[in-house]
Amino acid sequence: MNRKELEDQIIENYRKDERMMILAFAQWSINRGLDPQALYERAYPGQKNNPELLAALELTVPKEEAGDIADETVLNMLSVFGNDDLAFVVSEVIHTRK
């Protein structure tokens, strides 16, 4: 594998992981009766209808069919990908709920 192919593979793996993080956030929101789009927009005003979030929403399932996603898992995933504003909003929701 040459350097360009390796770089392309690393970028694609990052994108896949990022899509998984977005899906986890969306499913976590649905599992708790929250609107993922509203939370996202609260964190990132002016970025309504984020294409990656919309794609993830198509893959979510009703909370009755979903496995649990721990609060800490979502916060960690958001932090790893630098979504600090969204992690802050999620953290507020968690603390308000408790």
Side-chain angles (χ1 to χ4, degrees), residues 14 75-84:
Y14 180 86
L75 287 172
N76 288 337
M77 291 177 83
L78 291 171
S79 293
V80 165
F81 284 91
N83 287 310
D84 297 329

Side-chain angles (χ1 to χ4, degrees), residues 1-2 5 14 17 23-24 33 36 38 50 53 55 59 61 75 83 85 90 98:
M1 180 178 297
N2 67 37
E5 290 172 334
Y14 180 86
D17 290 345
L23 177 58
N50 176 288
L53 180 56
L59 301 173
V61 296
L75 287 172
N83 287 310
D85 294 339
V90 167
K98 291 181 179 181

Side-chain angles (χ1 to χ4, degrees), residues 1-59:
M1 180 178 297
N2 67 37
R3 183 181 174 130
K4 174 72 171 127
E5 290 172 334
L6 179 60
E7 289 174 357
D8 289 346
Q9 184 178 3
I10 290 169
I11 291 168
E12 184 55 32
N13 287 342
Y14 180 86
R15 287 183 180 146
K16 285 179 185 176
D17 290 345
E18 186 177 41
R19 284 192 289 273
M20 184 59 67
M21 175 270 303
I22 295 167
L23 177 58
F25 160 72
Q27 190 64 59
W28 173 88
S29 300
I30 290 169
N31 290 357
R32 282 153 181 78
L34 303 168
D35 178 355
Q37 287 181 284
L39 292 176
Y40 187 88
E41 190 171 350
R42 204 164 112 195
Y44 304 109
Q47 291 188 28
K48 191 174 184 170
N49 298 324
N50 176 288
E52 292 291 333
L53 180 56
L54 293 174
L57 289 173
E58 292 181 19
L59 301 173

